[in-house]
Amino acid sequence: MEPHDGVELLLKHSIKQGPKPIAQERSTLANTAEKLHFFALALVHAGAYISQQNCLNTYLDRLEKHQSTLLSKNLPQSIDNYDFSIYSTWNLSWQELDEQSKTFLKICSCLHYKGIPRLLFQRALNNVGSLNQAPLLGQPLLAALSLQRLKWDATEMNEIIEKVVSYSLVQIDKESSYALHPLIHQYIGDTVDE
């Protein structure tokens, strides 16, 4: 979302009645929205928690110390009757993915969330078979990514990308690079096995 829209959405869900927020509260709302990277689902969830706990001034501290726990909470939201947590919502998408797509996302969760180069996957698969040494620790992931063939296949990678993009789990930055929303990146890192 655009920053202004994100702050307004958070305001709508966190302060449902009473006087308009003062400048300090608006600043806190803006900082909270920014920390949640203006992700609509996270803003609605945060607003419900803030409203329920009446904790606008302490929410950022709670989020910093207990992010995984807060984002996993199922909270009833009186405005739209949606009570799934952020992680529960993303888990629904995760369960629909095939193993190749999950493996791709697991690898991405070990990298920075922006600028993930497609070439990284191509080079890894092209080079893993040419190494004359013991199997690499990452070889099982590369095998799962390539349907056990350990060979680069551009068409196969395109299909993986189409699937994860269709669930809004990845964005294509440029033709040859990908990005995950920072909160999705965190979710995958928090919830997948080593």
Side-chain angles (χ1 to χ4, degrees):
M1 297 186 79
E2 292 297 319
H4 172 74
D5 296 332
V7 172
E8 290 303 314
L9 181 62
L10 180 59
L11 172 63
K12 175 183 170 184
H13 286 271
S14 61
I15 303 174
K16 296 177 182 156
Q17 54 189 326
K20 290 189 175 201
I22 60 174
Q24 180 184 1
E25 291 172 326
R26 271 231 175 255
S27 176
T28 301
L29 288 166
N31 291 338
T32 302
E34 183 177 3
K35 178 73 175 173
L36 295 170
H37 303 276
F38 306 103
F39 196 79
L41 179 61
L43 295 171
V44 169
H45 187 269
Y49 184 85
I50 290 167
S51 176
Q52 185 184 71
Q53 298 289 320
N54 195 18
C55 64
L56 175 61
N57 293 322
T58 60
Y59 180 78
L60 274 176
D61 185 51
R62 292 178 188 193
L63 183 65
E64 189 173 305
K65 291 178 182 170
H66 309 287
Q67 182 167 334
S68 181
T69 302
L70 283 179
L71 298 181
S72 297
K73 281 191 163 300
N74 290 334
L75 297 170
Q77 298 163 24
S78 60
I79 291 177
D80 54 12
N81 295 322
Y82 187 82
D83 64 355
F84 288 110
S85 74
I86 296 167
Y87 280 11
S88 294
T89 302
W90 287 330
N91 195 44
L92 294 173
S93 296
W94 182 263
Q95 297 307 318
E96 293 298 315
L97 295 174
D98 59 30
E99 283 309 308
Q100 280 184 288
S101 300
K102 289 178 181 178
T103 299
F104 171 77
L105 290 169
K106 288 176 189 178
I107 293 170
C108 290
S109 76
C110 297
L111 306 169
H112 190 273
Y113 59 87
K114 275 185 161 179
I116 301 167
R118 179 183 177 100
L119 190 57
L120 177 86
F121 298 94
Q122 182 178 351
R123 285 185 177 166
L125 283 166
N126 284 340
N127 293 328
V128 74
S130 66
L131 296 173
N132 295 326
Q133 60 186 25
L136 301 172
L137 290 175
Q139 195 163 335
L141 282 174
L142 292 173
L145 186 64
S146 65
L147 294 175
Q148 308 304 318
R149 291 189 310 266
L150 289 174
K151 276 179 80 173
W152 172 254
D153 184 332
T155 303
E156 202 166 49
M157 179 57 88
N158 292 342
E159 289 176 13
I160 292 169
I161 298 304
E162 286 172 18
K163 286 176 195 162
V164 294
V165 166
S166 74
Y167 285 98
S168 301
L169 296 172
V170 167
Q171 297 169 334
I172 301 174
D173 272 347
K174 299 174 191 160
E175 185 177 328
S176 59
S177 116
Y178 311 110
L180 282 74
H181 189 281
L183 293 177
I184 293 173
H185 183 265
Q186 173 109 25
Y187 158 77
I188 295 166
D190 286 348
T191 59
V192 299
D193 295 333
E194 271 186 46

